[in-house]
């Protein structure tokens, strides 16, 4: 009898030790997960940018923590598939979700506000004072901060120095100006050179007007998630400004991004106002090396208007799974909130201008780019980050984009007045979200 008791006690001890060494993982829905020891999963899209950067982060962490058992399974899908799987997992009680997922800033509220219990707040993990304030604002809900601020859509005016010079303007003449001054310069540029001042997608103006309204410190919703369309002075001025630019003929309208890229590379536009990732498009035409520069984007006349804004951008979010939290936290904190070498490498390799402010002192920021006449382009983008006004993107960015773009299109065609346009946008948005 005594022998059987010893055998049973021994078996229990063996099982306990085995469980402690490799605990069974359980997802937020209570479903057992087959993940291996200290293995975390990451969902993201874009092999050349987000996936490549996460691989660099993992390699860098293993370099810094050689004694830590750390494995990452990175699953690359299209952005649409990532969102479909995320929505399905959240709606089914948190089942079959990854440990870390990439989410666009515009989509934060769509997922986190509706399913906040499945996301792990990082207030006690990261020092958010070291990140761009507008990125931190995006991921804050009820005092909790849920993500790791990642890449930015910091904006600039990319312009042809040689064309502006031919029209009689210096680089300083086009820096820190209003849209009204930009229009005046654009008329002269076309008169003297035959080149349109700037370019935009004439079928989908959403990127253009999103940059403008955020530069004025406004959005479709206020800080309390109240819709602000008909009573939005910044949005009104944005509509009126785009119409003035269009009516004056200083904007070259294109149908899609491929036409826009072609216009930049064949010299039929003197500038483009867009995010930092437009650098790669501009540099696609080697014969134009030395002719381009970057400067601040124009501002609205609104009292809150500044010469800085954002379009797009995304961040990493931790799912409230039964993963090894200390390990995940240390990985994110060590690399994304503390490693200048990592940020320097992804800036050089992927052109990633990120939200961690101390990265601005990295060596890649002090190097001049011959394509831009020796200008320190990366440093320029970094210096714009703290100037971007924080706004509340709210839960319905795609719906608002569609409603506002449709109303703006009809206003630009002269079919409706500005009051009718704003009213139409608000009514359509209300119908979509009810």
């Amino acid at each position: 009898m005594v022998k059987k008791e010893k055998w049973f006690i021994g078996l229990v001890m063996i099982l306990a030790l085995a469980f402690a060494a490799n605990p069974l993982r359980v997802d937020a829905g209570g479903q057992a997960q087959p993940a291996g020891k200290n293995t975390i999963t990451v969902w993201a899209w874009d092999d050349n940018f987000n996936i490549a950067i996460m691989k660099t982060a993992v390699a860098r962490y293993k370099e810094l923590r050689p004694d830590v058992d750390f494995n990452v399974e990175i699953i690359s899908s299209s952005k649409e598939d990532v969102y479909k799987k995320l929505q399905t997992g959240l709606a089914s009680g948190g089942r079959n979700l990854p440990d870390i997922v990439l989410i666009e800033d515009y989509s934060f509220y769509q997922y986190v506000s509706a399913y906040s219990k499945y996301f792990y707040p990082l207030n006690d993990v990261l020092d958010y004072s070291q990140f761009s304030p507008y990125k931190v604002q995006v991921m804050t809900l009820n005092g909790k901060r849920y993500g790791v601020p990642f890449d930015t859509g910091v904006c600039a005016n990319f312009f042809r120095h040689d064309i502006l010079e031919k029209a009689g303007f210096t680089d300083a003449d086009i820096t820190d100006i209003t849209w009204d001054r930009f229009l005046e310069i654009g008329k002269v540029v076309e008169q003297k050179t035959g080149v349109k001042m700037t370019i935009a997608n004439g079928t989908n103006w959403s990127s253009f007007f999103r940059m403008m309204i955020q530069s004025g410190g406004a959005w479709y919703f206020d800080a309390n998630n109240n819709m602000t369309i008909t009573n939005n002075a910044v949005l009104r001025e944005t509509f009126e400004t785009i119409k003035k630019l269009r009516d004056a003929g200083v904007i070259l309208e294109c149908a899609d991004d491929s036409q826009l890229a072609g216009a930049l590379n064949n010299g039929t536009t003197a500038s483009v106002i867009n995010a930092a990732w437009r650098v790669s498009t501009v540099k696609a035409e080697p014969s134009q090396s030395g002719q381009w520069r970057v400067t601040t984007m124009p501002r609205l006349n609104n009292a809150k208007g500044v010469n800085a804004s954002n379009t797009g951008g995304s961040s990493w979010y931790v799912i409230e799974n039964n993963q090894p939290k200390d390990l995940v936290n240390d990985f994110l904190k060590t690399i994304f909130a503390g490693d200048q070498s990592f940020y320097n490498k992804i800036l050089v390799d992927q052109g990633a201008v990120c939200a961690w402010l101390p990265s601005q002192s990295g060596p890649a920021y002090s190097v001049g780019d011959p394509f831009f006449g020796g200008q320190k382009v990366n440093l320029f983008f970094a210096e714009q980050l703290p100037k971007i006004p924080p706004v509340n993107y709210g839960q319905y960015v795609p719906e608002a984009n569609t409603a506002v773009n449709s109303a703006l299109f009809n206003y630009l065609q002269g079919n409706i007045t500005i009051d009718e346009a704003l009213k139409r946008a608000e009514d359509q948005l209300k119908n979509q979200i009810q």
Side-chain angles (χ1 to χ4, degrees):
M1 184 66 180
V2 173
K3 188 175 181 180
K4 286 185 177 180
E5 287 179 350
K6 288 182 176 179
W7 175 85
F8 179 74
I9 293 171
L11 177 61
V12 171
M13 291 180 65
I14 291 171
L15 291 174
L17 289 171
F19 182 81
N22 190 12
L24 181 67
R25 292 184 55 193
V26 180
D27 68 17
Q31 189 176 56
Q33 295 291 299
K37 181 181 179 182
N38 289 341
T39 296
I40 65 173
T41 56
V42 178
W43 287 0
W45 60 87
D46 194 341
D47 289 344
N48 295 323
F49 191 80
N50 301 314
I51 299 296
I53 288 173
M54 180 52 76
K55 289 179 178 177
T56 299
V58 173
R60 180 64 177 156
Y61 185 72
K62 289 183 175 181
E63 180 182 342
L64 294 174
R65 299 277 196 272
D67 298 329
V68 173
D69 182 10
F70 177 68
N71 301 291
V72 178
E73 182 183 9
I74 304 174
I75 300 175
S76 176
S77 308
S78 68
K79 180 172 63 179
E80 291 73 20
D81 284 346
V82 168
Y83 284 168
K84 284 179 184 177
K85 291 190 298 181
L86 180 61
Q87 178 64 41
T88 300
L90 293 171
S92 61
R95 299 182 185 279
N96 301 317
L97 293 172
D99 299 304
I100 298 174
V101 61
L102 186 70
I103 298 177
E104 288 179 302
D105 295 343
Y106 294 144
S107 298
F108 167 79
Y109 274 87
Q110 180 179 348
Y111 298 107
V112 182
S113 68
Y115 304 100
S116 59
K117 68 178 181 180
Y118 300 127
F119 289 88
Y120 180 67
L122 298 173
N123 298 53
D124 297 330
V125 178
L126 303 180
D127 179 2
Y128 282 96
S129 69
Q130 294 191 329
F131 291 91
S132 299
Y134 88 96
K135 290 282 288 187
V136 177
Q137 172 72 28
V138 165
M139 59 181 55
T140 301
L141 182 67
N142 298 326
K144 295 181 179 178
R145 292 164 175 165
Y146 285 92
V148 181
F150 177 45
D151 75 313
T152 75
V154 56
C155 295
N157 179 8
F158 299 80
F159 70 96
R160 285 283 298 272
H161 165 81
D162 55 326
I163 295 176
L164 268 292
E165 187 177 54
K166 186 177 179 181
F169 296 102
T170 66
D171 295 354
D173 290 332
I174 200 171
T175 298
D176 294 338
I177 61 175
T178 64
W179 281 105
D180 288 343
R181 179 57 181 156
F182 184 82
L183 187 154
E184 294 172 356
I185 294 173
K187 289 180 179 178
V188 176
V189 168
E190 183 166 10
Q191 181 183 21
K192 293 188 175 180
T193 68
V195 177
K196 293 288 188 183
M197 181 62 176
T198 194
I199 189 168
N201 186 326
T203 61
N204 184 355
W205 293 86
S206 61
S207 178
F208 206 83
F209 61 68
R210 282 199 309 257
M211 289 187 291
M212 295 176 78
I213 60 176
Q214 184 163 357
S215 75
W219 198 248
Y220 312 126
F221 300 88
D222 64 18
N224 297 316
N225 290 319
N226 299 310
M227 188 183 299
T228 56
I229 302 292
T230 56
N231 60 343
N232 189 327
V234 174
L235 184 58
R236 175 181 289 269
E237 186 184 349
T238 295
F239 271 43
E240 293 172 336
T241 300
I242 294 175
K243 193 171 192 312
K244 283 191 293 184
L245 293 167
R246 187 174 183 273
D247 291 349
V250 301
I251 293 183
L252 177 62
E253 295 182 45
C254 60
D256 53 38
D257 198 68
S258 63
Q259 285 190 10
L260 188 149
L264 294 178
N265 296 151
N266 65 27
T268 53
T269 180
S271 72
V272 62
I273 297 163
N274 212 311
W277 54 70
R278 189 57 76 184
V279 167
S280 60
T281 308
V282 170
K283 296 176 76 170
E285 179 48 61
S287 67
Q288 295 176 358
S289 179
Q291 298 173 346
W292 284 90
R293 303 286 189 276
V294 294
T295 190
T296 53
M297 64 172 284
R299 69 177 183 276
L300 296 167
N301 294 314
N302 187 282
K304 295 183 179 179
V306 298
N307 294 96
S309 191
N310 176 82
T311 181
S314 57
S315 296
W316 302 102
Y317 291 87
V318 178
I319 300 294
E320 184 61 273
N321 273 337
N322 190 31
Q323 75 273 70
K325 281 288 191 312
D326 290 345
L327 184 59
V328 173
N329 294 344
D330 189 60
F331 166 58
L332 295 174
K333 182 177 181 180
T334 300
I335 302 301
F336 289 93
D339 189 4
Q340 284 196 357
S341 294
F342 161 72
Y343 279 106
N344 191 70
K345 180 172 176 56
I346 65 174
L347 178 63
V348 173
D349 292 352
Q350 280 81 37
V353 179
C354 294
W356 191 56
L357 298 175
S359 66
Q360 297 176 13
S361 60
Y365 286 91
S366 61
V367 177
D369 189 333
F371 198 93
F372 291 89
Q375 188 177 3
K376 297 177 182 177
V377 176
N378 294 327
L379 179 61
F380 168 82
F381 286 124
E383 290 174 341
Q384 305 311 304
L385 289 175
K387 304 174 185 176
I388 299 173
V391 297
N392 172 33
Y393 288 143
Q395 189 173 355
Y396 303 104
V397 176
E399 293 85 353
N401 286 339
T402 300
V404 172
N405 187 66
S406 176
L408 174 63
F409 183 82
N410 280 285
Y411 172 62
L412 296 179
Q413 300 301 316
N415 299 329
I416 53 178
T417 66
I418 179 66
D419 289 324
E420 291 170 336
L422 296 175
K423 180 68 165 52
R424 184 174 295 189
E426 184 168 290
D427 289 345
Q428 181 176 335
L429 180 55
K430 286 180 178 176
N431 289 333
Q432 286 180 301
I433 65 179
Q434 284 178 346

